[in-house]
Amino acid sequence: MTRLAPNGVLDVKALRGEFPVLARDIRGKRLSYLDSAATTLKPLCVINAVDRYYRHGTANIHRAVHLLSEEATGLYEATRTAACQLLNAADEREVVFTTGTTGSINLVARSFVKPRLKAGDEILLTGMEHHANIVPWQMICEETGAKIIVAAINDDGSLDLASFKKLIGPRTKFISCVWISNALGVINPIKEMIDAANAAGVPILIDAAQAVAHVPIDVQTLGADFLAFSGHKLFGPTGVGVLWGKLQHLDAMPPMLGGGDMIKTVTFEKTVYADAPAKFEAGTPDIAAVIGLGEAIRFVTEDVGFKAIHSHEESLRNKAEAALRDVVNLKIIGTAEPKLPIFSIVMGNIHPHDVGSILDSYGVAIRTGHHCTQPLMARFGVQATSRASFSIYNNEEDIENLVKALWKTQELFA
Amino acid sequence: MNQAASELYQSTVLDHNRSPRGYGELSGTTHSAEGFNPICGDRVKIQVIVGQGAIKEIKFTAQCCALCRASASVLTEVMGGQPLSFAKSLSLSFQSFIQGDAQPAADLAKSAASAFFAIKDYPARAKCVLLPWHTLSSSLTDQLTVSTEPKE
Ligand SMILES: Cc1ncc(COP(=O)(O)O)c(C=O)c1O
């Protein structure tokens, strides 16, 4: 059911009713959930889809001819169709289900990139990567003698695009970069980055973990080679994500895990692998989560839509930014535009964990720490920040509660 | 202030955070150790001069959150001048009260450390409070660094 008012604007009040967690009382206070960059809340329709599979139709997929198995297989594959449409992929076979962004990146690192690496080769990343887009590359570099090159971040949190382009050279064998920074909310000029990679003939992966719930994605227009996201940041269940890859790449890649569901024939002498994507989906996957993800994609594209998401989130960003500007002794790291309503806050000498605890006592849930981006924190000379991240179900009351709790924090430690 | 915040950040805690006692470096230390919480980046160094079976002097330095700093400050206050046996049993009682089911020992309950008892209900922050205490224990057993996380 659409969650837009007749004028096309998000009906936030009705939408909030879809998210049961928002009705919870947190230490006697209304919940202001401002940690959607870590994981989004789940709407009832997604919870129900997962529940329905367990309650009404549990079966394994791709394995039996009985009705329940056929239904489960149908729902599982329907999510592939939905993900294909969400990304505007050219072919459903380009959509591989993984355990999440981390699983997707590791698969590409192991199966696509590592066999192409030799000592002295380079992998280009940016200085704002999540550890999930650093560690897998370090692991294969250690094994091959290749090395990681890092494009610099400007003082306002934006990528130094010129340095990024200059770092693409004859030794660059792969580029992997984040579309939207989870720590700062800054949106990278992803199309220009991909064009630069393409011009140099270097394959590129886009970490779309933070992008997927906020901006429309069209992999054909983007022209990247791989793109990864997690279902749980798109109002879907944990435990499932997507790797999109160009079919020619997926066809050329060896599988990472061997087992059931990824074969054509098995004898003890030799196994013939199935084609992509089945080749990468060995074993029984998290079927319920995949089905839930299908419902989440339907929810976000049909009930809400990216146009309404964008205008609501821009309005939240402007209001929150203005309100935060008034709080004394408060600095936001990462002010470059365009950006999402994600605010990485530093409050003088007050430790982020103290900020987090005080805010929690006011029902305001934020993330404190390094946000799995330690190199980026080091770039800005901090150990940690307090991060408030907004999503479609947040409203002005959440901004008010955040700002009020930040003021209380100031008073307490003044 | 609301209840949850006032439980955690009692006036004693805020006061010790603002003006920590026993802050600084000691010379002629007999025991010292550094404590580190990799999850939040808290770092504490405890330096001790032990003589005749007692803690003659104790000081700390730290880069950490308010709870950790206040806890270190209280620690130096309650431990200074005490016999080692008292220091060990008080530490043990504090740790097993915060992280276990034990009732606090009488000495502990009437010490300034009782300002941190509410942390029991906030397990995510218990490590912040316990880090200085763990660090003191390890300095007394001559373990040079201590981490809140298991060794790799
Ligand atoms: C930018 C970015 N990349 C990668 C990840 C890893 O995602 P997951 O833990 O779902 O695999 C995250 C999640 O925090 C993220 O924000």
Side-chain angles (χ1 to χ4, degrees):
Chain A
M1 195 173 70
T2 180
R3 293 297 171 195
L4 304 187
N7 58 359
V9 172
L10 210 56
D11 181 350
V12 179
K13 191 150 179 268
L15 186 74
R16 288 176 62 82
E18 275 272 328
F19 290 85
V21 175
L22 290 175
R24 258 198 75 166
D25 154 299
I26 301 295
R27 307 186 196 281
K29 298 282 189 311
R30 169 193 182 275
L31 168 64
S32 287
Y33 186 77
L34 298 177
D35 198 16
S36 295
T39 196
T40 55
L41 302 180
K42 318 305 170 199
L44 262 178
C45 59
V46 168
I47 298 168
N48 288 341
V50 171
D51 179 85
R52 208 178 307 123
Y53 165 72
Y54 282 125
R55 197 181 291 278
H56 189 69
T58 300
N60 212 323
I61 52 165
H62 299 143
R63 289 184 185 181
V65 295
H66 62 76
L67 178 69
L68 293 183
S69 177
E70 269 176 14
E71 280 178 4
T73 305
L75 288 167
Y76 182 89
E77 288 303 324
T79 299
R80 203 183 307 279
T81 311
C84 179
Q85 286 165 359
L86 176 77
L87 302 176
N88 192 33
D91 192 312
E92 284 184 21
R93 292 173 295 171
E94 297 184 330
V95 175
V96 180
F97 292 127
T98 64
T99 54
T101 308
T102 305
S104 299
I105 295 174
N106 275 278
L107 173 57
V108 174
R110 291 271 140 206
S111 175
F112 183 80
V113 182
K114 191 187 161 194
R116 296 159 179 247
L117 286 185
K118 54 180 196 311
D121 285 345
E122 296 173 357
I123 295 173
L124 176 60
L125 310 177
T126 79
M128 62 168 88
E129 300 308 325
H130 188 280
H131 296 167
N133 199 25
I134 300 175
V135 183
W137 307 116
Q138 272 170 341
M139 289 165 71
I140 62 168
C141 282
E142 235 161 65
E143 292 164 25
T144 57
K147 59 180 190 219
I148 287 174
I149 304 290
V150 183
I153 304 302
N154 297 316
D155 289 344
D156 64 0
S158 60
L159 174 73
D160 180 345
L161 187 63
S163 115
F164 174 85
K165 287 181 178 168
K166 236 182 278 154
L167 289 172
I168 305 175
R171 290 169 195 267
T172 316
K173 286 291 144 64
F174 199 76
I175 302 172
S176 193
C177 49
V178 70
W179 186 340
I180 302 180
S181 158
N182 64 303
L184 309 181
V186 170
I187 303 175
N188 281 321
I190 206 69
K191 181 67 182 138
E192 282 181 74
M193 295 160 77
I194 295 168
D195 288 348
N198 287 344
V202 181
I204 180 169
L205 178 148
I206 307 304
D207 172 353
Q210 292 298 331
V212 69
H214 304 277
V215 296
I217 299 177
D218 181 335
V219 290
Q220 297 188 65
T221 308
L222 283 174
D225 295 273
F226 297 96
L227 182 140
F229 73 86
S230 303
H232 71 92
K233 295 194 201 274
L234 182 68
F235 314 105
T238 55
V240 62
V242 164
L243 170 67
W244 168 84
K246 282 190 174 153
L247 198 57
Q248 87 226 39
H249 295 328
L250 295 179
D251 281 343
M253 285 159 63
M256 203 161 73
L257 299 178
D261 278 345
M262 52 76 74
I263 51 92
K264 279 182 176 152
T265 59
V266 177
T267 65
F268 278 109
E269 287 70 41
K270 183 171 170 56
T271 292
V272 181
Y273 303 135
D275 294 328
K279 176 168 66 172
F280 302 109
E281 295 177 11
T284 302
D286 192 338
I287 301 167
V290 171
I291 292 171
L293 174 59
E295 181 58 25
I297 294 173
R298 193 206 59 71
F299 166 79
V300 82
T301 52
E302 288 177 21
D303 294 359
V304 187
F306 285 103
K307 230 176 108 202
I309 291 177
H310 178 74
S311 53
H312 178 60
E313 291 184 346
E314 271 298 281
S315 145
L316 285 176
R317 184 172 71 84
N318 288 324
K319 286 172 187 157
E321 230 164 55
L324 289 170
R325 212 174 291 135
D326 287 342
V327 181
V328 295
N329 202 22
L330 182 150
K331 195 177 106 193
I332 292 169
I333 297 183
T335 50
E337 296 195 11
K339 70 172 269 177
L340 291 183
I342 293 180
F343 302 98
S344 230
I345 294 169
V346 176
M347 293 186 95
N349 288 330
I350 308 176
H351 195 285
H353 279 186
D354 296 315
V355 178
S357 284
I358 306 288
L359 265 54
D360 175 55
S361 75
Y362 287 91
V364 179
I366 60 158
R367 166 94 188 262
T368 56
H370 51 60
H371 320 296
C372 300
T373 54
Q374 283 183 350
L376 183 65
M377 296 290 112
R379 158 69 179 83
F380 287 100
V382 294
Q383 281 274 351
T385 69
S386 305
R387 181 190 70 186
S389 56
F390 291 75
S391 184
I392 53 174
Y393 33 68
N394 292 118
N395 58 18
E396 285 172 37
E397 205 177 337
D398 295 320
I399 299 176
E400 279 161 29
N401 288 346
L402 169 68
V403 169
K404 196 168 73 189
L406 288 170
W407 272 112
K408 294 281 182 191
T409 309
Q410 288 286 13
E411 280 166 25
L412 198 61
F413 290 101
Chain B
M1 209 191 336
N2 68 56
Q3 196 205 339
S6 60
E7 269 174 15
L8 269 185
Y9 296 92
Q10 297 188 7
S11 54
T12 318
V13 174
L14 290 172
D15 178 53
H16 275 270
N17 174 55
R18 223 168 271 134
S19 25
R21 333 287 196 262
Y23 194 92
E25 302 273 348
L26 270 183
S27 56
T29 53
T30 56
H31 296 70
S32 80
E34 283 190 66
F36 182 50
N37 180 347
I39 307 276
C40 59
D42 281 356
R43 270 179 196 284
V44 182
K45 185 162 113 187
I46 307 269
Q47 295 181 310
V48 191
I49 300 176
V50 174
Q52 286 147 355
I55 295 179
K56 290 188 142 165
E57 280 196 71
I58 171 167
K59 286 205 167 202
F60 81 98
T61 55
Q63 282 179 304
C64 60
C65 66
L67 291 179
C68 182
R69 189 188 357 259
S71 172
S73 169
V74 164
L75 178 77
T76 62
E77 201 176 63
V78 299
M79 294 300 189
Q82 297 292 343
L84 285 177
S85 56
F86 174 88
K88 280 177 187 160
S89 70
L90 200 73
S91 271
L92 205 64
S93 174
F94 191 53
Q95 289 168 29
S96 51
F97 167 68
I98 300 289
Q99 294 190 310
D101 299 325
Q103 285 300 308
D107 283 336
L108 181 68
K110 60 175 200 275
S111 77
S114 63
F116 295 101
F117 281 5
I119 202 73
K120 205 171 160 53
D121 297 327
Y122 300 84
R125 300 301 305 280
K127 284 175 183 174
C128 308
V129 170
L130 288 176
L131 182 62
W133 295 70
H134 283 310
T135 308
L136 173 64
S137 300
S138 75
S139 79
L140 296 177
T141 55
D142 287 325
Q143 236 179 297
L144 296 182
T145 58
V146 49
S147 171
T148 55
E149 301 308 304
K151 288 229 167 60
E152 265 143 53

